[in-house]
């Protein structure tokens, strides 16, 4: 219920409108949707995307809910050297000891670039309540390098203005 599906759709639109890349979002979620686990598959590249399918070798994996690390294999699709962004209530210098051993092993074996943010705290302090989606979206653009940072932030602001300006 953090707005991730809507934000991923916004990200697809931003990539499609502000780059020469083709982009597609594909989502897997429970029929209850709100409050259930959602997996967003965002693909982009220089050639048209002609099919929908689940990503099995991801260059970027984000986990928006820390508790999911103990419930499912969040890093199963992470490719060698992929970027892993984790929303964590634990500070970056303490998070490692709170990770399940299997997650630690995968980070090391796959040589993941590992980044941590307390998106819940950032969203709360920014007056966004529990909606961490924009915080995580900003981190995605900063880490993925698909757009220059300032351009990505401006596009996110414009998208928010279109969606919530009224």
């Amino acid at each position: 219920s953090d707005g991730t599906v809507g934000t991923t759709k916004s990200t697809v639109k931003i990539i499609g409108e502000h780059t020469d890349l083709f982009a597609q979002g594909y989502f897997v979620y429970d029929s209850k949707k709100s409050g259930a686990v959602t997996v967003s598959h965002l693909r982009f590249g220089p050639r048209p995307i002609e099919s929908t399918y689940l990503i099995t070798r991801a260059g970027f994996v984000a986990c928006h809910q820390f508790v999911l690390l103990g419930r499912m294999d969040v890093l199963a699709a992470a490719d060698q050297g992929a970027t892993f962004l984790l929303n964590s209530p634990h500070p970056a210098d303490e998070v490692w000891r709170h990770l399940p051993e299997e997650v630690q092993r995968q980070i090391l074996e796959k040589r993941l670039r590992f980044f941590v943010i307390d998106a819940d705290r950032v969203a709360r302090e920014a007056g966004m309540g529990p909606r961490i989606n924009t915080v995580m979206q900003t981190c995605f653009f900063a880490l993925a390098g698909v757009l220059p940072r300032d351009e990505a932030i401006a596009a996110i602001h414009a998208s928010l203005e279109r969606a919530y300006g009224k």
Side-chain angles (χ1 to χ4, degrees):
S1 301
D2 64 6
T4 299
V5 171
T7 300
T8 303
K9 289 178 181 180
S10 166
T11 299
V12 169
K13 191 170 183 174
I14 289 169
I15 293 170
E17 291 176 351
H18 294 270
T19 72
D20 292 333
L21 302 173
F22 295 90
Q24 178 189 71
Y26 193 63
F27 307 92
V28 178
Y29 47 84
D30 190 285
S31 61
K32 297 177 202 142
K33 195 169 174 322
S34 185
V37 173
T38 300
V39 180
S40 301
H41 294 257
L42 169 60
R43 298 188 296 150
F44 54 91
R47 293 186 305 276
I49 298 168
E50 298 176 351
S51 180
T52 57
Y53 56 86
L54 302 179
I55 294 171
T56 57
R57 292 181 44 210
F60 191 103
V61 174
C63 180
H64 293 212
Q65 303 295 327
F66 191 89
V67 297
L68 293 178
L69 295 176
R71 294 185 188 160
M72 57 191 301
D73 189 354
V74 171
L75 297 175
D79 203 2
Q80 193 74 18
T83 298
F84 175 38
L85 171 63
L86 176 63
N87 175 25
S88 171
H90 309 290
D93 61 347
E94 296 177 18
V95 72
W96 188 259
R97 65 184 174 155
H98 296 281
L99 296 175
E101 281 186 35
E102 176 61 16
V103 173
Q104 292 176 357
R105 185 186 63 71
Q106 287 179 303
I107 290 170
L108 294 172
E109 286 181 0
K110 294 182 178 190
R111 298 181 186 263
L112 302 182
R113 295 177 56 225
F114 181 36
F115 296 88
V116 176
I117 186 167
D118 185 346
D120 293 288
R121 181 185 54 78
V122 173
R124 204 171 37 255
E125 289 176 1
M128 298 163 53
R131 300 189 64 82
I132 65 166
N133 53 331
T134 304
V135 176
M136 297 298 282
Q137 180 185 35
T138 303
C139 291
F140 164 78
F141 276 111
L143 296 171
V146 71
L147 273 174
R149 191 167 113 177
D150 291 341
E151 191 176 330
I153 290 171
I156 292 168
H157 280 273
S159 173
L160 290 170
E161 186 67 33
R162 279 193 307 270
Y164 304 108
K166 294 178 184 175

